[in-house]
Amino acid sequence: MLRRAGQSLHHFLLGRKSSAGYSSYSSEAKMSRPVQARRLEGTDKNIWVEFVKLAATYSKVNLGQGFPDFPPPDFLKEAFVRALSGENHMLHQYTRAFGHPPLVNILAQFFGKLLGRDLDPMTNVMVTVGAYQALFCCFQAFIEEGDEVIIIEPFFDCYEPMTKMAGGTPVFVPLRPKAPKDGKLMSSADWQLDPAELASKFSERTKAIVLNSPNNPLGKVFSRGELELIADLCVKHDVLCISDEVYEWLVYDGKEHIRIASLQGMWDRTVIIGSAGKTFSATGWKVGWTVGPNRLLQHLRNVHQNSVYHCATIAQEAVAQGFQRELELYGKADSYFVQLPKELQQKRDWLVQSLDAVGMKPIVPEGTYFLVADISKFKSDVPDVPDSDEPYDSRFAKWMVKNKGLAAIPLSAFYSGAHKNNYNHFIRFCFAKEEATLKAANDILQKWKREKTSP
Amino acid sequence: MAFRHKNTRRIEGLDSNVWVEFTKVAADPSIVNLGQGLPDISPPSYVKEELAKAAAVDRLNQYTRGFGHPSLVKALSQVYERVCGRKIDPLTDILVTVGAYGSLFSTIQALIEEGDEVIIIEPFYDCYEPMVKMAGAKPVFIPLRYKNDGNSTSSADWVLDPAELANKFNSKTKAIILNTPNNPIGKVFTREELQVIADLCIKHDTLCISDEVYEWMVYKGNKHIKIATLPGMWERTITIGSAGKTYSVTGWKLGWSIGPQNLIKHLQVVHQNTLYTCPTPLQEALAQAFWIDYKRMDDPDCYFYSLSRELESKRDRMAQLLQEAGLKPVIPDGGYFMIVDVSTLNVDLSDVDEKQPYDYKFVKWMIKSKKLSAIPLSAFCGPETKRQFEKYIRFCFIKKDSTLDAAEAILKNWNKQTA
């Protein structure tokens, strides 16, 4: 996922005016003792910093960034405006720290319905600053030195530094691609865990496993069988499950998103994480939540009250109204949760076609708004550099944005340091984009192909 | 099922919290709430308008730059360059966080660890202690002491003993947390007082975490001075500010840390590994509001000054109400809180079967029987000084006239009922 800054950042980075001559007192004076805490060790590198800058500088079509370039639905924007301008100006002040009551109430209702459980909004739900902060609370609440955390590769990049910052040890297990059936395009379903390999990663030090389904970057939607495999191991080894389900509504081809917390023995050991940003196409609102048993959430509340304490009120009010609408329209054609995946599936198919037509081999995602493509055929444009530390796909992505103006993210960004070269000829595209954007991407790809095949 | 998964050591014992306890109790609308520090006055209308404008722009509903929305960090750098008289780089010297609370957390997580000691001046905003503990460090407390024997008291009468302060510093001292204007007392540290602290920071090569959220709320005869502007201090100070307090929008939860690049970069690492980015439309609206007020920083109508004037008259009114009820409030030089010694009311709570300090019991009794809420001051103290502060309670006066009218009615009737 890439954070976007847009046009303003582009100009900002390149064309800052310096301020009028203020005295700058001893700009090089520093404290003499080392200052930073050891918990930051190994967590400072961040791939997005480099790729955001490149995209801002060079890209004409940006499919790297993990957020929609279309707006949130009207009903949500209207709810936001109503909240900020209404008679109740107290919506500009602090709300309940663990979640604005209208929001936790509707989330408890909604997810209670989906999980077939009675949920208490005060103890089984907590609102966070995006799913990102929910993840942070989980790691801080449950992971410390001596603990191992199993992370399935490829993974949303923050899981690793969050584990480390909590003093834990990440233990990686890869999804491995199986060859697709003859003549068919590979699907994200073809990337699978080896059950024996997965089982071997569990030890008495294993505190948690992070599950992300639907998975960023591959788009894999774990099947019931796959989830049962993971669940059995969690129960057997008494391990927690941090279940990142931010893309829960973005599931295609009639597939079902199954919540691991609904499997036998899992409710008591699972924290479910969700995101208004992904659910309602409003990533800039940074509203997320956790759902789980009180004996786990009480510790998340502890971390939350000692780190951020309150989340912004107005967006919570608006999201609550959004969910109210969706509860009423649940399963109906008008539901945003029905319409959005329908629209995105079309965009997915469009991009799949574009890539396939030029020889990039797309892995058709079952969910999320990401798509990974194999770029082996395009290798000729970007030569191998035998002694280079940098994975091939990273050099390719950089070359592509600089020379073709098309931004995407190298798959190696989603692997641990030791494994970055294992799958280094794939790049990830985001297709939550307006038709015009996807068409422009297609034009770039077509032109590129023509240039390759002409003498 | 036996469940081996407990919480981590870092959060052990950090679960109780005065706010969770008292905001629940005071949520009853029949109670006149002068407890939690939030305004019940409206934010200025242009601030709300800017938010509406921002929300209407499609891309402002999506992620922005992680360390701070470009137009906001630019606006902040301009405002604070003017205030500090030094160049501030918007990209490297500023981090935007989820409230000043988030800045405190990012600073402490970035720069404090096991083996460190952190000096905290009592009474203190309660989160400093658990945040320092969560970072594995040891809080070292030093109280402000009341030095005046006169009848009316001012927050200026509460001072640090320089020798006592110097004794708290040693080779393990990583930082001191300064809060000026101070919550709860309302003390505005003078230049001389800041110099004492600065000298010790320089001598012991210590950081200064300066919580200045009430920086604009400073009353006549007082000046807010930024410790970072004292010689030798910029390179070792993180200065924290708050949109919630500046613009009466506590529910926006936006704050910022300003300091030298070599310190801020570590806060940025924490931020990128905790929540990555703050909400976009709020940051854009805040940036626009700052531009409006930046342009009139020479004008008395600038909100930074007009709010302060409005609050000063509320402060004076609050003080009068309390005095008329026979109490001795400590008149704050800044901030929007006022503490008052309630022991003179002689409310006997010895039969209340709780191990809680007197002020906790008093506030609970006051909420129940007088329908007026406040916050007990011992919530803002370390373990050693709870006895010293348990006769005080804290009132918040950033309230609309009708709220203060309701408080007045209760306080007027108080004497009648206990006569």
Side-chain angles (χ1 to χ4, degrees), chain A residues 58-71:
Chain A
Y58 296 104
S59 78
K60 298 187 186 62
V61 178
N62 198 336
L63 303 190
Q65 308 172 26
F67 68 81
D69 70 356
F70 48 79

Side-chain angles (χ1 to χ4, degrees), chain B residues 37-242:
Chain B
L38 83 178
D40 66 2
I41 60 176
S42 174
S45 52
Y46 61 90
V47 168
K48 295 191 281 185
E49 278 153 26
E50 289 302 333
L51 183 56
K53 278 198 248 173
V57 178
D58 287 351
R59 73 170 168 76
L60 294 178
N61 287 295
Q62 308 303 334
Y63 293 130
T64 183
R65 175 176 171 268
F67 304 142
H69 187 54
S71 60
L72 177 57
V73 292
K74 185 99 206 302
L76 288 168
S77 72
Q78 298 282 77
V79 169
Y80 287 103
E81 275 180 359
R82 207 196 121 115
V83 172
C84 298
R86 72 172 294 126
K87 194 159 166 349
I88 296 174
D89 184 317
L91 297 187
T92 61
D93 300 347
I94 301 180
L95 172 67
V96 175
T97 55
V98 176
Y101 212 96
S103 271
L104 287 160
F105 184 73
S106 298
T107 302
I108 292 169
Q109 285 286 310
L111 305 173
I112 308 297
E113 60 187 349
E114 216 170 296
D116 290 340
E117 290 182 8
V118 177
I119 298 173
I120 298 175
I121 301 167
E122 299 168 297
F124 55 92
Y125 180 55
D126 73 302
C127 81
Y128 302 158
E129 183 183 0
M131 283 191 184
V132 166
K133 285 179 164 166
M134 191 169 157
K138 177 174 168 215
V140 170
F141 301 103
I142 177 168
L144 285 164
R145 295 183 188 283
Y146 175 53
K147 73 162 193 288
N148 199 323
D149 278 320
N151 249 337
S152 82
T153 63
S154 151
S155 57
D157 298 328
W158 292 75
V159 298
L160 290 174
D161 178 323
E164 188 180 10
L165 179 63
N167 255 334
K168 301 290 180 178
F169 279 77
N170 61 47
S171 58
K172 294 206 201 84
T173 310
K174 191 73 176 282
I176 178 168
I177 302 179
L178 171 68
N179 176 217
T180 180
N182 164 280
N183 171 8
I185 293 184
K187 178 184 178 61
V188 174
F189 284 71
T190 63
R191 184 175 290 279
E192 295 69 33
E193 288 174 314
L194 294 177
Q195 194 60 63
V196 169
I197 296 171
D199 289 345
L200 286 163
C201 285
I202 292 166
K203 175 176 176 184
H204 295 271
D205 197 22
T206 300
L207 291 162
C208 180
I209 302 172
S210 188
D211 175 353
E212 302 184 14
V213 298
Y214 302 103
E215 59 187 307
W216 303 112
M217 298 166 185
V218 171
Y219 306 124
K220 263 198 234 60
N222 297 281
K223 189 169 186 305
H224 173 69
I225 296 162
K226 291 182 163 304
I227 196 170
T229 58
L230 269 53
M233 289 306 286
W234 170 257
E235 69 245 37
R236 61 184 66 257
T237 306
I238 303 285
T239 306
I240 293 172
S242 157

Side-chain angles (χ1 to χ4, degrees), chain A residues 3-4 38 238 283 305, chain B residues 5 62-63 101 109 113 250:
Chain A
R3 307 296 170 175
R4 172 178 169 172
R38 281 179 299 256
D238 196 15
T283 60
Q305 92 194 14
Chain B
H5 298 299
Q62 308 303 334
Y63 293 130
Y101 212 96
Q109 285 286 310
E113 60 187 349
T250 59

